[in-house]
Amino acid sequence: SAAAATATATGAMGYGSVELPARPPRTVQVAEADGEQDAVHRRPAFRVFCAAWVALLLALSAVFTRQPQAAVPGRGELRGEAAAPVEGSAWPANPDPFSTVNPVDLGFQQALRDEVTAPGRIFGDVRHGAASGTPLPTNAWYQNLLMHDISGRFNAVENKANTIPYLLDTAVKDVGRAQGEDEDPTAGTTSNGLRIHYPNLLASATVVQLAYDEPAALQLGSAEAVKEQIVAASAPPNELSVTLEWAAEAVAGAVMRAPIVRGMAYVTMEYEMLSPLVSGQMVPAGAPLLDGRVPLKCSVDSQSRAPKAKAAGTAKEFVELHFMQSDYTWLVFLSEPARVACSQSPPDAENQFFRMQTLDAMRTGVVRVALANNCTTGTNPTHCAPDATGTGRDQTKHAALLRKHRTMYPTGDAKVQFTFPVRDSEVEDLTLAFDWAPRHMNSSMESLLKATPPAALHTLDDVVEPLMYALPHHMDDMVWTVGSSNAVSKFGCLRSIHGYSCPVSGGRWTMSNTVHGVSFSAPRSINRDMRAAIEQAVRDEIDYDVDENYRRGAGDTYFAGKQLAKLGRIIIIADEIGFDSRKVREAAQRLAKRAEIWLNGEAEAPLLFDGYWGGLVSCGCDFDEAAGACTNRYPVCPALTNAGNNFGHGYYNDHHFHYGYHIYAAAVASRFLPEWGKKHFEHVLAMIRDIANPSLSDKFFHTWRHKDWFLGSSWASGIAPIQGHPYPNGRNQESSSEAVASYEAVALYGSTMAEIFGGTPWGLPEIPANPKSATVAQKIRDLGRLLLSTEIRSAKRYWHVVQGKFDAPYDSIYPSEYQPYAVGMLWSIMAQFQTWFGSAPFLVYGIQMVPNTPTMELLLEPEWLEELLPDFKTSCDADPMCTEQGWKLLYFLAQAAVGNTTAAWAGLDEIPDAAYLTPGGNGHSRANSLYWIATRPLTPAEEH
């Protein structure tokens, strides 16, 4: 890409795997691996003997002491089966849906899609999505793997996912086909498994990007011909994983299956009646080593690629491969002893290849692949330190760690769980857990583990724990838990796009988080010296109304939502200062009417229910500026065929941004007009279900549309292509603050409706209570708080760049070459100082600060704002557009947040009234801007 070329041209560095010093925080440290396998790995009988004795002793102890036993996680909890709710938990493994109402029954028309934008054949039997009761993901971290191009192909280089640490794709290469085999008529469309890329990090002054050498990839597939991959029906896509499956062309019932799990330290393939094949486009530097000791002789032939059986050898546990050109050393682990053979091209061949396969099909087996060293001899200038070329890197301890944990792998049953405390308070500690649902790669051992009593299994955690990679924010808050050590290793840490990532052993990660309360008002009262100016601003703006076309629902949902939320903030502030109650109510009625046009199906560009993917999408508007109206009417819907219409809303781009504003407006309208809120509850729930549905039992909306629970933040991009292909840099999100605001809106709406359905809203006349709906609203509130807190945490980590804030090297997220104080757009494999609408610093910083609500106080840290303010000001002063379009307003609001309220207050006078009507300023009001400044904490000088 152009960004990668820029990074390279400016002298970017590559970063490889490193051994880091001991980490100081509260994580548990893994003991040094010594390269020896635990004897229990090789002695199942001894393991069962020990387990039986432990179980017997525990049972005898319970009999003689007659004391209740501490709760120990059972095998079901480790395997991903639904666990019983913990006391105080609001969320079991699959919570009840917020609603089961079909959006069509609420008046939303059906979206009509063509084959290009409908789910592709990769979804197999569930490709009809919500129409068949199975809503499908649209914004998931792995989405590129599931997207087809304009011609229907799924196996281009753009179809890749960043699992951390590997980049995976299913792109087709001919290394798996022997000379003389018939050409596949679908060549270029059918893959033979997964290609595994180990990336390096490039950094420049404004771009950080993962890159990789395509010929260095290792492919894990099958020696037999297989059909095109589909999403495995046995393991539906979820928050942490997607499982792909390839069925054999000629062998009935034969299949290979790959659980692709976020953070996996190995790439895993399950086989049923197929022969595993490992192939590549480079030749080994020497003979592959069976079990790290016995050389395997490969047949060398530039014509025939079929390995010769007479040169086969037996690998009991693994094969070590070192490739000459890449200097990579890979470990290939087998679930059972197997006879393997290999072939390769001559080292000087123009088209190099390597191919290693088992000579017999695995009845039920597993192969796992992991990179043990990316600088084995020191010949790779990308991954080896510049001053260490020719010496190689000693990764013995990391390789030993990989061998030790090779047997347990995460599965497609992995899930996210969270537990709220029993109490209900403004600030709460919450437990977030990733259950990797681990499985043993040896089927007989897996059966033994299933038969092992839970208490005995707990005593053998050091044997059965899988190895995964964690990001900095995981390691900050990871804690030991019963049944999972969650120990962080300093061996094998690497530089990812999200900072240093380190291996962690544990089948169930547990992390502590803090969730905060939400409020329409600031956490402190208005500065009395500034109150009069706010009152005047409210007096000037209380009659504000949205643009005329938005009153008819003609136009985009984004700017319409911003204007609705703007009016909502004016109403809240007017009420707080005790403004004329009649005028406040009139404004609330106006807001309700404007919000309702998007809910009742009467908009010129109506919202539609998409029964293909399962979501609420815009029909779109071909807007005629002269007429001030849409030239199209449903069922002609440009947003479903043009990814540029309404910011790609019909392709699921930015739904949380758009609907967040609408939900906020509905919360304000409901607060002042409870009966309106009750009447439109299900309609607003449709928006909430679209962006924040937590339940698999909701058959109309996919779960957690935007949220990447592993990263903690959201992905804004949906299924929109670029020039007919998936975006090559993967998923993206621009405005971290608008993502935060969307979940703030969900929490506020839930809190508001809980009060209304509880029957006693804010001193208004008592209305009939509805306990069932009140419970749903409380869950919406809590869900919003959870999404909000995790979004804030990751936005601070991965969008805000504060030099020297954290202890290096663990917590320095971006390399020192990256100079700005913020990331403008975060992609799956790239971070850049850029927005969709420009690269001026004031645009990049500004889009990370909107909208201006009380919750932004939790997001916008003063130390971060202190660092970026000079750059913001210099950029703004150099371009009149900054002031004219309202971006400078955000500079003054940031100035107030660091304590300089006097200068910020005076600075607002520079902002012309017209700026509040421009694309950059039309979500702001003067009243809300003054309110923000007037409710900042007092400085020590002001306090005295």
Side-chain angles (χ1 to χ4, degrees):
S1 71
T6 301
T8 305
T10 53
M13 288 183 62
Y15 294 87
S17 178
V18 295
E19 179 178 322
L20 296 178
R23 180 180 176 82
R26 60 173 180 255
T27 49
V28 182
Q29 203 68 43
V30 166
E32 288 193 12
D34 57 8
E36 292 297 321
Q37 296 297 303
D38 193 312
V40 182
H41 276 293
R42 297 192 299 270
R43 297 170 62 187
F46 177 72
R47 176 178 183 162
V48 175
F49 174 77
C50 292
W53 267 107
V54 170
L56 178 61
L57 291 173
L58 287 172
L60 290 173
S61 174
V63 169
F64 286 111
T65 62
R66 300 193 182 277
Q67 296 292 321
Q69 297 297 301
V72 176
R75 183 61 175 166
E77 193 168 342
L78 290 172
R79 288 296 304 275
E81 299 165 13
V86 181
E87 182 182 2
S89 171
W91 307 98
N94 181 31
D96 292 334
F98 292 151
S99 172
T100 57
V101 174
N102 186 335
V104 174
D105 295 337
L106 297 173
F108 295 106
Q109 298 277 7
Q110 287 272 12
L112 306 175
R113 289 193 177 274
D114 58 25
E115 284 293 314
V116 175
T117 64
R121 58 186 180 274
I122 194 170
F123 287 101
D125 293 339
V126 298
R127 67 176 300 188
H128 298 296
S132 59
T134 309
L136 301 174
T138 55
N139 300 66
W141 62 269
Y142 49 74
Q143 197 72 40
N144 272 38
L145 288 172
L146 310 181
M147 293 175 63
H148 56 256
D149 63 18
I150 196 169
S151 62
R153 295 181 302 176
F154 290 91
N155 300 306
V157 293
E158 297 90 356
N159 294 108
K160 58 178 173 285
N162 182 9
T163 63
I164 304 172
Y166 304 108
L167 297 182
L168 301 182
D169 65 30
T170 57
V172 177
K173 292 295 174 186
D174 65 356
V175 292
R177 189 177 66 247
Q179 185 73 16
E181 292 180 9
D182 292 337
E183 285 285 342
D184 185 347
T186 62
T189 63
T190 304
S191 79
N192 181 24
L194 292 176
R195 283 201 311 172
I196 312 164
H197 305 276
Y198 187 84
N200 62 291
L201 196 67
L202 301 176
S204 72
T206 57
V207 175
V208 179
Q209 185 169 28
L210 294 179
Y212 60 89
D213 183 14
E214 187 172 323
L218 203 63
Q219 187 158 321
L220 181 58
S222 164
E224 294 85 3
V226 292
K227 300 176 182 178
E228 185 177 63
Q229 76 273 16
I230 61 172
V231 174
S234 59
N238 59 43
E239 299 79 45
L240 296 173
S241 69
V242 61
T243 302
L244 298 181
E245 180 177 279
W246 294 258
E249 287 278 8
V251 183
V255 67
M256 65 180 181
R257 192 177 297 111
I260 300 170
V261 187
R262 201 78 146 124
M264 57 188 188
Y266 316 71
V267 178
T268 304
M269 187 75 78
E270 302 169 338
Y271 293 88
E272 296 178 16
M273 297 183 291
L274 288 177
S275 306
L277 167 70
V278 175
S279 57
Q281 293 176 264
M282 294 182 177
V283 298
L289 297 178
L290 304 178
D291 300 304
R293 297 183 298 272
V294 180
L296 175 67
K297 185 176 181 180
C298 296
S299 57
V300 179
D301 194 326
S302 59
Q303 299 300 317
S304 175
R305 299 189 174 191
K308 294 179 170 55
K310 64 180 181 181
T314 298
K316 296 180 180 179
E317 293 180 352
F318 71 97
V319 180
E320 180 179 314
L321 302 173
H322 173 220
F323 289 92
M324 181 185 305
Q325 188 175 336
S326 66
D327 205 24
Y328 289 178
T329 294
W330 299 86
L331 298 179
V332 180
F333 298 104
L334 308 171
S335 59
E336 58 193 47
R339 294 177 64 237
V340 296
C342 59
S343 62
Q344 68 174 71
S345 63
D348 57 354
E350 181 178 354
N351 296 314
Q352 295 186 357
F353 72 88
F354 167 76
R355 175 182 172 118
M356 182 179 72
Q357 69 177 77
T358 64
L359 295 183
D360 301 304
M362 286 185 169
R363 180 177 175 82
T364 55
V366 175
V367 173
R368 308 192 73 195
V369 174
L371 186 75
N373 199 333
N374 59 10
C375 179
T376 307
T377 64
T379 60
N380 187 329
T382 299
H383 291 287
C384 299
D387 58 350
T389 303
T391 61
R393 184 183 298 117
D394 185 1
Q395 292 283 86
T396 304
K397 294 175 181 177
H398 176 52
L401 192 70
L402 291 171
R403 291 198 299 273
K404 179 179 180 180
H405 291 274
R406 75 192 188 281
T407 57
M408 296 299 293
Y409 66 96
T411 67
D413 296 324
K415 63 175 177 287
V416 177
Q417 293 179 303
F418 31 87
T419 304
F420 285 90
V422 177
R423 70 184 188 280
D424 186 6
S425 61
E426 283 298 296
V427 179
E428 299 176 346
D429 291 328
L430 171 138
T431 299
L432 178 67
F434 296 163
D435 183 350
W436 299 114
R439 184 177 300 153
H440 201 287
M441 66 188 297
N442 183 283
S443 58
S444 60
M445 281 298 300
E446 175 68 6
S447 299
L448 291 174
L449 288 175
K450 285 182 179 179
T452 303
L457 181 66
H458 169 58
T459 67
L460 302 175
D461 282 343
D462 62 326
V463 176
V464 300
E465 291 187 319
L467 193 69
M468 307 291 292
Y469 269 86
L471 295 175
H473 75 284
H474 300 141
M475 295 184 282
D476 284 344
D477 291 327
M478 195 174 296
V479 296
W480 174 88
T481 187
V482 174
S484 186
S485 67
N486 298 338
V488 179
S489 172
K490 66 179 180 180
F491 306 119
C493 295
L494 53 91
R495 198 82 191 246
S496 76
I497 195 70
H498 308 298
Y500 278 102
S501 180
C502 293
V504 173
S505 56
R508 181 184 175 86
W509 290 4
T510 303
M511 293 150 285
S512 61
N513 286 258
T514 299
V515 293
H516 297 271
V518 291
S519 173
F520 289 108
S521 299
R524 61 194 64 83
S525 59
I526 296 170
N527 186 322
R528 62 180 179 272
D529 296 331
M530 300 176 176
R531 186 180 181 91
I534 295 174
E535 290 174 348
Q536 182 58 51
V538 168
R539 191 173 297 110
D540 294 339
E541 295 179 323
I542 193 65
D543 293 323
Y544 170 79
D545 203 351
V546 303
D547 291 347
E548 195 278 333
N549 59 296
Y550 291 136
R551 301 172 203 174
R552 295 180 282 105
D556 66 277
T557 48
Y558 177 68
F559 283 113
K562 290 182 72 174
Q563 293 186 23
L564 288 170
K566 171 181 180 174
L567 178 55
R569 288 300 300 153
I570 295 170
I571 293 169
I572 289 293
I573 295 166
D575 181 63
E576 184 174 334
I577 65 174
F579 195 73
D580 184 339
S581 60
R582 180 183 61 83
K583 295 288 288 184
V584 170
R585 183 170 178 81
E586 287 177 355
Q589 291 171 334
R590 188 184 322 121
L591 175 64
K593 185 176 181 179
R594 304 313 182 214
E596 188 176 334
I597 194 70
W598 300 99
L599 302 175
N600 61 16
E602 296 179 4
E604 288 185 23
L607 296 179
L608 314 172
F609 175 65
D610 181 2
Y612 295 83
W613 294 95
L616 203 63
V617 298
S618 169
C619 175
C621 174
D622 284 331
F623 193 71
D624 185 330
E625 292 285 351
C630 303
T631 60
N632 64 290
R633 290 294 186 271
Y634 176 84
V636 178
C637 292
L640 300 182
T641 56
N642 177 4
N645 191 285
N646 197 2
F647 303 94
H649 193 277
Y651 291 70
Y652 292 94
N653 285 359
D654 303 348
H655 276 208
H656 55 335
F657 297 165
H658 296 218
Y659 290 149
Y661 288 115
H662 287 259
I663 294 165
Y664 188 94
V668 175
S670 299
R671 180 178 177 86
F672 292 92
L673 305 169
E675 290 299 333
W676 183 92
K678 292 169 64 177
K679 178 181 178 180
H680 294 92
F681 183 57
E682 284 289 350
H683 294 81
V684 179
L685 271 190
M687 290 183 172
I688 293 175
R689 291 160 69 191
D690 183 86
I691 66 172
N693 166 41
S695 178
L696 294 170
S697 299
D698 189 333
K699 301 303 181 183
F700 301 100
F701 295 91
H702 195 263
T703 55
W704 317 113
R705 183 173 313 282
H706 298 278
K707 194 71 168 179
D708 182 341
W709 283 102
F710 188 83
L711 185 56
S713 54
S714 297
W715 294 115
S717 56
I719 58 171
I722 180 170
Q723 297 179 347
H725 299 272
Y727 276 84
N729 291 315
R731 309 286 87 205
N732 72 75
Q733 177 161 280
E734 181 185 58
S735 178
S736 61
S737 55
E738 286 185 299
V740 166
S742 72
Y743 301 133
E744 174 193 23
V746 171
L748 284 170
Y749 183 78
S751 178
T752 300
M753 297 310 297
E755 292 278 357
I756 291 173
F757 287 123
T760 54
W762 320 285
L764 295 174
E766 186 169 334
I767 58 178
N770 184 331
K772 182 178 179 180
S773 294
T775 299
V776 171
Q778 289 166 358
K779 289 182 180 295
I780 293 171
R781 175 202 63 190
D782 287 343
L783 170 71
R785 294 171 66 199
L786 167 65
L787 292 168
L788 173 66
S789 64
T790 50
E791 198 77 22
I792 287 174
R793 178 170 184 76
S794 290
K796 288 180 177 180
R797 264 320 206 158
Y798 304 118
W799 271 263
H800 298 183
V801 181
V802 181
Q803 302 299 337
K805 179 179 179 182
F806 304 107
D807 294 330
Y810 288 98
D811 297 313
S812 54
I813 301 301
Y814 299 107
S816 58
E817 291 87 351
Y818 187 78
Q819 296 298 308
Y821 300 102
V823 169
M825 295 177 67
L826 185 63
W827 300 74
S828 300
I829 63 170
M830 183 171 68
Q832 61 181 151
F833 193 66
Q834 176 77 34
T835 72
W836 287 108
F837 48 92
S839 58
F842 68 81
L843 296 174
V844 178
Y845 296 139
I847 201 62
Q848 305 305 329
M849 298 180 188
V850 294
N852 187 236
T853 64
T855 293
M856 290 301 139
E857 186 170 322
L858 300 174
L859 174 66
L860 306 178
E861 320 108 297
E863 62 265 36
W864 175 60
L865 297 175
E866 284 271 19
E867 291 204 358
L868 67 81
L869 276 172
D871 196 25
F872 197 143
K873 185 177 188 303
T874 300
S875 169
C876 203
D877 290 346
D879 190 341
M881 185 185 78
C882 182
T883 299
E884 293 167 0
Q885 293 199 4
W887 293 101
K888 194 167 187 178
L889 166 68
L890 294 164
Y891 170 80
F892 295 126
L893 301 185
Q895 196 175 37
V898 302
N900 197 350
T901 56
T902 301
W905 188 265
L908 280 186
D909 290 338
E910 297 181 21
I911 307 300
D913 290 341
Y916 293 100
L917 304 177
T918 63
N922 64 5
H924 303 289
S925 67
R926 192 173 294 278
N928 191 43
S929 302
L930 293 171
Y931 178 86
W932 169 269
I933 298 173
T935 54
R936 295 310 88 210
L938 294 176
T939 64
E942 291 171 323
E943 289 177 346
H944 293 87

